[in-house]
Structures are given as structure tokens and as C-alpha cells.
Amino acid sequence: MNSNLIKKAVMEKKVVLITGVSSGIGRASARALADTGCVVYGSVRGLDHAEPVKGVTLVHLDVREQASIDHAVATIIAREGRIDVLVNNAGQNLVGSVEETGIPEVESLFDTNVLGVTRTIRAVLPHMRSRRSGRIINLSSVLGFLPAPYMGVYAASKHAVEGLSESLDHELRQFGVRVTLVQPSFTNTSFEANTQRAGTSICDYDRERELALGAIARASREAPDAAIVADTIVEAALGKWRMRRAPAGQASLLAKLRRFMPAGPVDASLRKTFGLA
């Protein structure tokens, strides 16, 4: 981790709210931000049963419920007087073909991944705007700029977060508030346990679906742990502003390939990766 960032955090005592710290990227990022000297509040949906995170104050917050968001933000403002950095990490995953995915499932995923981000931003922004200072970090994914067969709805939610974030950054610069997207690739964070499958199964998709989901599960198992993404989030929170940050390794490579390679080879490579004919 960059020692200059640690010195900066200690000197300035940045107050950070990060959503979804029960496990995975959120938990690793909360711990990493606390290690820099930031004052970190991490949100969980079940406060009574949550495992402590060293150096992090846990608060109840469900991104699907505006009242819980408002209460958490008000609690932090009352204690600290400000929120300098908001990290929108909470999210959910969903796999299955688009045809197999019911509209209620789409609505539920967007409620968390897109509306949840929007709700939390709207609760924090008045305080950042009044101070003319702040940083908002939205967790996207390489699927925010690449398609993924059998993860279409999840990819759509991350594409939405990308568009929202770019527009928002233009709106907020006048107030000294900037927005950054962090775009991780597969991360070793218990893919099978944390991923919901579409409720409907159509047999015509069985062969390719299982090939694709097997490739996704293998990539997740073989991927680096959440620490590499946590380091990128620390850089996004405390370092020089950049609109997009892809963690080192596969995510950074994919971002470059998407930008510079012709569409045909990208499409062929993606289908090969997912085991599709």
C-alpha cells in the first residue's frame, strides 16, 4: 500500500462510509482503509450477527431501504460532522440467461445494484456539497464495459452504474466532489455461495449455460483475493482522482483490450473464455 496515502489519511483523518462490509471486497476494503488511519464506518444489514472488522465501526444500513440509509448517514454526521468518502460496494449477483430471468428478479437486482447506489449517494451528497469536498467511489466491474453471457442482467446493472457515475461526476465537479469507478474482474470471494441463479430453467440453454457458469466459477476460484481490489479502492479514496480504476492483473488487461482491440477479436476471445461454440 502506498505509504504517502497512509500519511495523508493520518494527517487528514478522512471519514469513510463503505457499504456491504460483511464479506469479500467490502470487508477487505474497510480493513485496508482503517489501516491507513481513516475513520471508517462499514454498513451491514444484520448488525446483531455481524462479525467485527478491526478498526471499523459497523452501522446498520440496507441499501434497499431509504430510512435505514438516512439513519446511518445521520448517525455518522452527528458523530463526525462529515463524510469525506462514500464507497458504494454493496451489491448482489445473478446468473442465468436473460430469457430465464424473471422480471421480479431483474427488479430485485437493480433495486440493490443501481437504486441502492443512487439512494446512498442522495443521502450523502447534501453534506459533501455543503462542505464543497468529497469523493464517491462506485464499485462497477469489468462487466460494466464487457458483455458476459449468462450474466446479462448483472452486466446491465453495472453498465447502468457506469453511466450514472460519469454523469454524476460532471454534475458534482462544481462542488469539489468527484466520482470514481472501480472495475474489478473475478475475485476469489466464494462465487458459488454468493451468487443467485435465475429461478426459471429452460432446457435449450442447459449445455451452454453450464459451460459458461463452470468457466465463471473456475475463474473466481483461481482469481486473486479481495486485497488487490481493496488496494485500488484505497487509491481511489485517497489518491489523485481518476474516473476509472481497474485493479492490477486481469481487470487492467481487459480494460486495455476493450479499448484498443477490434470488436471481432474481443468477441471471439470472450466466447472462448466462457466455453461457447
Side-chain angles (χ1 to χ4, degrees):
M1 192 178 295
N2 190 321
S3 61
N4 290 330
L5 295 184
I6 296 176
K7 291 176 183 177
K8 180 179 179 182
V10 170
M11 289 175 61
E12 298 180 3
K13 281 289 182 184
K14 295 286 188 183
V15 178
V16 180
L17 168 60
I18 176 167
T19 63
V21 304
S22 296
S23 62
I25 290 171
R27 191 174 186 84
S29 300
R31 193 162 48 230
L33 285 161
D35 287 346
T36 68
C38 290
V39 178
V40 181
Y41 287 81
S43 85
V44 293
R45 285 188 294 171
L47 193 57
D48 292 340
H49 306 290
E51 291 187 25
V53 183
K54 184 180 178 181
V56 178
T57 301
L58 299 182
V59 293
H60 168 71
L61 187 158
D62 186 335
V63 297
R64 300 168 301 179
E65 298 176 0
Q66 190 67 56
S68 80
I69 297 169
D70 293 342
H71 183 266
V73 170
T75 298
I76 298 168
I77 295 298
R79 292 178 183 175
E80 308 294 342
R82 68 191 194 280
I83 295 173
D84 299 302
V85 180
L86 168 64
V87 183
N88 279 308
N89 165 76
Q92 66 183 73
N93 200 356
L94 179 67
V95 296
S97 74
V98 173
E99 186 180 359
E100 292 171 312
T101 307
I103 295 302
E105 293 172 310
V106 177
E107 291 173 338
S108 175
L109 185 119
F110 268 70
D111 192 22
T112 297
N113 290 7
V114 181
L115 298 183
V117 168
T118 307
R119 291 184 190 105
T120 310
I121 288 171
R122 293 185 72 250
V124 170
L125 261 184
H127 306 286
M128 289 184 172
R129 189 162 39 79
S130 68
R131 290 176 55 82
R132 294 300 194 262
S133 176
R135 188 74 60 93
I136 296 171
I137 300 162
N138 292 331
L139 261 289
S140 180
S141 164
V142 295
L143 302 190
F145 58 83
L146 276 173
Y150 300 95
M151 294 184 74
V153 175
Y154 177 81
S157 75
K158 293 304 182 181
H159 275 69
V161 169
E162 296 256 337
L164 175 73
S165 300
E166 283 206 68
S167 295
L168 185 64
D169 184 69
H170 284 294
E171 296 166 1
L172 298 183
R173 291 181 199 182
Q174 62 182 316
F175 307 121
V177 180
R178 301 307 301 264
V179 182
T180 290
L181 286 155
V182 172
Q183 302 167 309
S185 184
F186 294 115
T187 307
N188 193 339
T189 54
S190 303
F191 170 82
E192 290 92 340
N194 296 329
T195 297
Q196 179 183 348
R197 292 183 66 142
T200 299
S201 180
I202 299 173
C203 63
D204 281 352
Y205 290 106
D206 284 351
R207 187 186 69 84
E208 281 202 348
R209 185 199 324 105
E210 296 313 308
L211 286 171
L213 298 191
I216 294 166
R218 284 192 301 276
S220 299
R221 287 194 299 269
E222 295 167 4
D225 66 25
I228 190 171
V229 185
D231 287 345
T232 304
I233 288 172
V234 171
E235 292 278 350
L238 304 177
K240 185 177 179 181
W241 175 84
R242 278 166 39 191
M243 185 71 240
R244 285 175 169 82
R245 288 183 178 268
Q250 186 183 49
S252 180
L253 176 62
L254 288 172
K256 291 181 176 68
L257 291 177
R258 182 60 162 172
R259 182 176 180 184
F260 296 112
M261 279 186 68
V266 171
D267 180 83
S269 176
L270 186 142
R271 290 185 64 79
K272 182 178 179 181
T273 297
F274 283 90
L276 307 185

